[in-house]
Amino acid sequence: MASRFGLSVALTTPFDAAGRIALPLMTAHARACLDAGCSSVTLFGTTGEGASVGTAERQPVLDAMLAAGIPADQLVAGVLVDAAEDAAEQCRQALQRGARNILLAPPSYFKNVGDDGLFGWFAAVFTALGPLARGMLLYNIPSVTMVQLSLDLIGRLRKAYPGVIAGVKDSGGNWAYSEALLKAHGDLIILIGDERHLAPAVRIGGQGAISGMANFAAGELRAIVESGRDEARVEGFVLELLRHPVIPAVKAMVAHQTGDERWLTVRPPLEPVASQERQQLGAAYDRLFATQAA
């Protein structure tokens, strides 16, 4: 049996002044997150601005990670696109390189779609992949996709594609749903995206998290994943992050922690966090986390 999933960093993606992916900085940060306690690296997820990273850009990132000595079985690739053909191609790139898992979100452009339509979309992706299809983590993030993956849909996909569906990442922030998901499909890898719900999920069978906060607080999050104990500092800082656009805020925190302002750059349509807000975030982090380190 495969080992417990653990903590995966939802790696933020650095860009240079020309808007290109800064590969050396990205691979160094991935290695630093692994050294800090993460068990894997999730590329191109929500925190990694994956919806803004094109298909052609992904191959060099995957190859750079492997060239930097990060094993393929410590890589997860996010796929956040609408066309099943594009989703299959992005999955294929990662799976052919041996990636551990694919974090696959449902299409988000069309709203108010039903389970039959969603089933058909996932089926088209898996059919296009053929024998490559494996390790799929279904991504429930209704605040972005406007789709909550129903427990019935997850069950249908498991039954139709045995061995393909590995688990679910739940970033819905709805504890009632998370609890029901664990009860219905707890034999799968169930991961939590909202760090406030991580500890209670671990206590009832959750296997870990794909976390944006792991970019700068991996040690604290790993402790939660391993113990299932509540961590007031983590819960408090989630509230601080949510006062700002989360993706630029995570980058601001990496810049705060590393002293490297290259991390502040985001791709349009996102905009960086303003200087005063960055200072407020950094001060909140220092209040919560530096105390224990002292």
Side-chain angles (χ1 to χ4, degrees):
M1 294 293 290
S3 61
R4 193 165 177 268
F5 187 90
L7 174 65
S8 188
V9 56
L11 199 76
T12 186
T13 304
F15 302 107
D16 65 20
R20 298 167 301 207
I21 297 173
L23 289 175
L25 185 59
M26 190 174 186
T27 56
H29 183 52
R31 172 55 61 195
C33 290
L34 291 171
D35 290 344
C38 295
S39 52
S40 64
V41 173
T42 296
L43 306 169
F44 319 127
T46 301
T47 306
E49 297 173 71
S52 295
V53 179
T55 301
E57 291 180 291
R58 290 168 172 246
Q59 294 185 56
V61 174
L62 290 162
D63 291 340
M65 292 289 165
L66 297 173
I70 298 174
D73 64 4
Q74 287 186 294
L75 294 176
V76 177
V79 174
L80 320 172
V81 292
D82 290 328
E85 178 184 358
D86 294 339
E89 178 55 29
Q90 292 186 8
C91 291
R92 188 177 294 114
Q93 289 177 352
L95 292 169
Q96 286 177 335
R97 288 165 172 79
R100 172 175 179 163
N101 293 103
I102 302 295
L103 177 62
L104 181 59
S108 59
Y109 184 85
F110 299 101
K111 312 304 179 189
N112 302 312
V113 294
D115 279 4
D116 288 346
L118 290 168
F119 181 90
W121 186 87
F122 282 110
V125 175
F126 301 153
T127 299
L129 286 171
L132 272 179
R134 62 164 179 82
M136 298 292 162
L137 301 171
L138 304 177
Y139 192 4
N140 183 61
I141 183 166
S143 62
V144 174
T145 62
M146 305 303 292
V147 172
Q148 180 165 281
L149 299 178
S150 74
L151 304 184
D152 287 345
L153 174 62
I154 295 165
R156 285 177 64 185
L157 288 168
R158 294 185 65 182
K159 183 176 180 180
Y161 297 94
V164 172
I165 309 300
V168 180
K169 181 194 176 186
D170 176 25
S171 291
N174 177 348
W175 173 244
Y177 174 89
S178 302
E179 191 174 29
L181 175 65
L182 280 157
K183 287 179 179 177
H185 298 293
D187 56 325
L188 292 176
I189 297 169
I190 304 300
L191 306 173
I192 301 300
D194 187 328
E195 293 88 352
R196 294 170 296 178
H197 296 159
L198 178 55
V202 169
R203 292 196 291 267
I204 60 172
Q207 283 204 28
I210 297 176
S211 166
M213 272 189 71
N215 281 280
F216 55 86
E220 290 81 4
L221 287 159
R222 178 172 176 168
I224 297 172
V225 168
E226 291 180 346
S227 70
R229 289 196 295 267
D230 295 317
E231 172 54 88
R233 296 177 305 157
V234 168
E235 295 172 19
F237 197 70
V238 170
L239 296 177
E240 294 293 337
L241 279 175
L242 292 176
R243 299 178 193 274
H244 312 275
V246 173
I247 297 168
V250 168
K251 283 191 156 179
M253 284 310 308
V254 177
H256 174 75
Q257 193 174 69
T258 63
D260 190 337
E261 292 198 350
R262 290 179 295 175
W263 284 106
L264 298 175
T265 303
V266 293
R267 273 191 172 168
L270 298 182
E271 299 176 12
V273 174
S275 176
Q276 183 176 355
E277 293 177 279
R278 294 201 308 271
Q279 292 173 9
Q280 292 169 351
L281 265 175
Y285 176 84
D286 292 342
R287 281 196 307 272
L288 286 166
F289 291 97
T291 307
Q292 180 157 319

